Every structure is written in structure tokens, then in C-alpha cells.
Amino acid sequence: MSFKKDFIWGAASAAYQIEGAYDEDGKGLNIWDLYSHEEGVVAHGETGDVACDHYHRYKEDVRLMKEIGIKYYRMSISWTRILPKGTGEINRKGVDFYNSLFDELITNGIEPMVTLFHWDYPYELHCKGGWLNDESSDWFEEYAAVCVKLFSDKVRYWMTINEPQVFVGLGYDNGEFAPCIKSSLPEILRMSHNILLAHGKAVRAIRAGAKREPVIGFAPTGPCITPKDNTVEEIEKARYQSFDMWPKGFVFSNSWWGDPIVLGKYPDKAFEYFGDTLRNLIKDGDMEIISSPIDFYGANIYRSSSTGTVNGYDSNEYIGCPRNSMDWVITDDALYWSAKFLYERYKVPILITENGMPCHDRVSLDGKVHDPNRIDYVTRYVKGLKKAAEEGADVMGYLYWSIMDNFEWTSGYDKRFGLIYVDYLTQERTIKDSGYWYKGVIDSNAENI
Ligand code: BGP
């Protein structure tokens, strides 16, 4: 048994993390352009101004992708490169850039998969209240419709939003990520509802405007809880906890976002906790818009925590557990349980939109980048994913995060997730051992794992 024949193998990136050229060719500013410049936001005062300079080096990058054997490339569009003010006037040079990139990918046999929003929110719209403004879902719909009109002759795969858990939780709840805001509970509820509406309206805009049959999803993350042993009780507990939500920090949960989008309703607990404050936000027809059918459920998964832990992964269960350079525990069965649980609950194909490992990579004296830990990590996680597929979960594909080392948000450039090493001083690229190894995984549809 194995993955299906048309299994999607690829790697992912996001515009702000790789493109650079932050104020070139008519691009408008976004919240990361601005807030990364504020003191204390990003480690070592680093910014994404230049990043991997992918904007100028995309041809070389596509060539390296081809060398690695990448078949699908998940990337995001920088909203303000297309619409500098977030809505209204279109920036032709931004459009030209993405058209050239898509052409380059397609010519090299790589299918582009586009995320519309990977956190780089237009600054002009932020000044109008951002997601708190009840027009924000219309702004996003306009942006989605523009992209579909411009690019759907080349792009079939679309993801609306990346990790609402994280951009809301860290950006507007605890204030660590741009735009560094700590919001009140009613504000968090309101912006969540607007984001869900934005997602739904974008799904409809893509479906209505696409020139070729689109494949649409979104790319959430969320807690993945695994059973500490294989007893029925522990498995049930893990399933329950994976979709549970709490009165505080609930934006990080799976069900707060996944249930409205796929099941068409907020979790019961949300009404228990927030009562009329939530009820009053929901207008007639909203839930139908939010739950406009999607073709796949994306999942960004890096780690899990076991039902045996007291406080998630920070407990004795993980004493001495291997950790990556972000200090995240390495939990081999994360993809197995999450693919299984997500598919059981949502019953739409699961696409692993991100999974990967940041390591302490460097170019060795022999000129190569040896990263056996990354190879070991992917082997273990993909084995789990394969087992989930063999046991009946509809798993559509796996996208490694990330195609190349890049700007890891507030952690700056130290954390290297890439299959391609980037020397930020010279912009020289080196395919890591894992990149060459991944080619074998792709070519054999993971029969070698
Ligand atoms: C992505 C980011 C990555 C990485 C990842 C972490 O969407 O762009 O750079 O930070 O999320 O995932 P999580 O937030 O689930 O830990």
C-alpha cells in the first residue's frame, strides 16, 4: 500500500518570508513591512526588506526547485504588490512579476498553488480598522476576485488564508506578531467572524471567476493531540482534546475556525462562553457564506502533544525529547493522528500544507549542507502520514516547509527550515542533502520510506 498515484508532492513558502523588494515597482506597504522595523519586534532587528531576494532571483529558485524534483509549489501572493492600497488600483508591475513566476514554474513542470493571504496585511486597510472593520470581508473578496481574474488561466490550486490561529492569536491577541495589538474579547470575536466571512466570500469569488476548474482550500494549523497509549479511552481523549476550545486562547483551536468553515456552525462551547456577544455578530446567511464548499482541508503541522502531558508539550512526558532549533518537540506520530482526526471530523481530503524542521544548518567545509536530522524527521512524519492514508484517511498531498531558508517572522533569519540553504550576505543558494534526498521521495511516491 502507498499514497495514491496522483499524490501531491511539493514544498511551500510565503511572500513576505522570501520575496524582499518590499518597496519596489509600486508595491504598497503591509503590516510586516512596517512592524518589523519597530524596535524589539524581530530578533536582532532583522526585517523582510530583502529576505531571499526571491523577487529578483525567482528564475534561479525555480531552477533549484526543478533540480529537487518539486512537482507542486505552494507560495503566497503579496496582496499589496497587486493592490497597493488593498483595494482599488492594480499595480501592473506586481501582476507582471507573478505572471513571470507562474510561467517559469509551469515551463519547468511545477504546478503553482497559491495562498491569497499569508499574514502580510495591507497597511492602508489596517489604518481603516483592518479585520475589525465590517467591510473587511468585502475587501478580501475584491482582492480574491482580482487574483482569480488575473491568474486563473495559470493557477488551479487556491488557499484563502494561512493559519488564522496564528495571525490572530499572535498578531491581535498577545501582540507578538505584526500588527502587535492586544485586543479585547469582543474585538477578537468580531475580527474572527469577519475573517471567516472573508474566507467564504473568497471561496465564492474563486469558484465564480476561475477560468479553469479550481481546487480550493485554506491552510490552518491547530493543536494536534495524540493518545499516550493505544487504549480506546486515550484515543477518545485525544480526539476530543484535538477539537476542544477554551474560553481564553480559543483562537488557537482547530474547531473555532474549522467548524464554521466546514460544518457551517461555531462549536457549541463558543456559545456557552460568549453567548450573545457572538450570537449578535452572526447575520442571516453568514454561516452559508462561511461554509461555502471547499475541496480540501489544509493542515500546517509540526508537532503534537500527548494526552499524557499536563500542560501540553512542556511536561515530563517529553523529558529528553529531541527538539528542533525552534525548541519544538519532535513527535513522530503527529501527522498520523492529525490526518486521521481531521479527516474523520471534516470528511474533506486533507492536504499537509506545511510540515518541516528547522535545523542548525551550515555549509560544511566540503561545500555541502549535511542535514541528516531533517531527513530523519521527514521520514518519521511521512511514515505516519502514509499509515493514516492506508487506514482510510483521504490524504491528498504533502508540502514541505520550506523550499528555502527564509525570514521566520519574529525569529528572524536564524531558524532554517529550507531544503535550500540561503547565505543571506551573498544570496548564494545551496541545495541541502535533504533536498537531494527529497527528490527520491517524490520520484518513488515515498516507496523508499
Ligand atoms: C507558517 C509560517 C512558518 C512557520 C509555521 C509554524 O505558516 O509561515 O514560517 O512559522 O507557520 O507553524 P505553527 O504556527 O503551526 O507552529
Side-chain angles (χ1 to χ4, degrees), residues 17 118 162-163 166 221 302-303 328 354 401 408-409:
Q17 297 181 271
H118 201 122
N162 181 69
E163 297 191 357
V166 174
T221 183
Y302 293 82
R303 53 184 154 163
W328 300 343
E354 284 180 27
W401 180 272
E408 178 53 31
W409 309 109

Side-chain angles (χ1 to χ4, degrees), residues 78-123:
S78 159
W79 187 338
T80 55
R81 226 182 259 296
I82 301 295
L83 300 171
K85 293 192 159 41
T87 56
E89 207 183 317
I90 295 176
N91 175 33
R92 280 325 308 181
K93 286 199 170 162
V95 176
D96 292 347
F97 167 69
Y98 289 110
N99 267 325
S100 312
L101 173 56
F102 295 140
D103 286 342
E104 196 69 19
L105 287 164
I106 293 163
T107 311
N108 283 285
I110 302 169
E111 173 105 38
M113 306 176 95
V114 164
T115 311
L116 287 171
F117 177 61
H118 201 122
W119 306 354
D120 42 2
Y121 197 75
Y123 182 65

Side-chain angles (χ1 to χ4, degrees), residues 308-321:
T309 63
V310 186
N311 267 323
Y313 55 87
D314 276 330
S315 89
N316 287 346
E317 173 104 349
Y318 292 115
I319 280 184
C321 181

Side-chain angles (χ1 to χ4, degrees), residues 93-386:
K93 286 199 170 162
V95 176
D96 292 347
F97 167 69
Y98 289 110
N99 267 325
S100 312
L101 173 56
F102 295 140
D103 286 342
E104 196 69 19
L105 287 164
I106 293 163
T107 311
N108 283 285
I110 302 169
E111 173 105 38
M113 306 176 95
V114 164
T115 311
L116 287 171
F117 177 61
H118 201 122
W119 306 354
D120 42 2
Y121 197 75
Y123 182 65
E124 288 293 331
L125 298 182
H126 170 69
C127 293
K128 293 185 185 169
W131 295 114
L132 265 185
N133 188 316
D134 289 342
E135 284 174 33
S136 56
S137 57
D138 297 329
W139 302 335
F140 190 66
E141 182 183 16
E142 177 183 336
Y143 164 56
V146 166
C147 288
V148 164
K149 187 157 185 233
L150 290 167
F151 304 126
S152 63
D153 51 340
K154 300 181 171 133
V155 177
R156 279 191 61 215
Y157 291 85
W158 300 90
M159 281 146 281
T160 55
I161 49 176
N162 181 69
E163 297 191 357
Q165 287 86 353
V166 174
F167 81 79
V168 175
L170 300 188
Y172 299 89
D173 198 356
N174 79 9
E176 268 175 45
F177 276 24
C180 306
I181 290 175
K182 290 190 191 209
S183 311
S184 67
L185 175 66
E187 288 169 334
I188 293 287
L189 297 178
R190 193 182 195 109
M191 70 175 74
S192 295
H193 193 67
N194 284 336
I195 291 165
L196 287 166
L197 279 170
H199 157 85
K201 289 182 183 178
V203 171
R204 290 183 173 193
I206 298 167
R207 206 72 82 195
K211 294 176 197 147
R212 294 162 65 209
E213 203 192 346
V215 185
I216 311 173
F218 74 128
T221 183
C224 163
I225 315 294
T226 60
K228 75 168 186 209
D229 57 44
N230 275 336
T231 58
V232 177
E233 297 74 43
E234 289 303 318
I235 294 175
E236 193 38 56
K237 202 161 143 192
R239 181 181 286 116
Y240 175 82
Q241 288 181 1
S242 289
F243 298 101
D244 195 13
M245 61 171 284
W246 332 272
K248 273 184 175 233
F250 60 92
V251 293
F252 288 102
S253 68
N254 285 305
S255 53
W256 174 247
W257 306 96
D259 283 15
I261 286 178
V262 190
L263 308 179
K265 58 184 177 59
Y266 281 101
D268 294 342
K269 276 197 177 172
F271 293 105
E272 233 174 78
Y273 298 146
F274 316 128
D276 284 346
T277 319
L278 175 61
R279 243 173 246 118
N280 293 340
L281 289 172
I282 307 171
K283 298 177 294 304
D284 274 355
D286 281 3
M287 299 315 293
E288 287 71 30
I289 295 175
I290 291 170
S291 60
S292 303
I294 52 174
D295 304 303
F296 65 88
Y297 193 99
N300 293 357
I301 295 158
Y302 293 82
R303 53 184 154 163
S304 53
S305 56
S306 138
T307 51
T309 63
V310 186
N311 267 323
Y313 55 87
D314 276 330
S315 89
N316 287 346
E317 173 104 349
Y318 292 115
I319 280 184
C321 181
R323 285 169 189 266
N324 64 27
S325 72
M326 293 286 279
D327 209 28
W328 300 343
V329 285
I330 294 171
T331 46
D332 301 349
D333 51 1
L335 292 186
Y336 170 69
W337 288 108
S338 49
K340 222 177 158 64
F341 287 158
L342 287 168
Y343 183 64
E344 267 175 20
R345 186 178 185 92
Y346 294 127
K347 300 182 179 60
V348 274
I350 305 299
L351 174 63
I352 303 302
T353 33
E354 284 180 27
N355 170 251
M357 179 179 181
C359 299
H360 295 101
D361 302 314
R362 74 177 301 189
V363 180
S364 290
L365 295 173
D366 63 3
K368 298 181 177 161
V369 180
H370 304 297
D371 55 345
N373 288 343
R374 180 171 287 112
I375 294 173
D376 186 63
Y377 173 96
V378 176
T379 305
R380 289 167 187 268
Y381 276 57
V382 168
K383 255 184 201 291
L385 185 65
K386 208 184 205 180

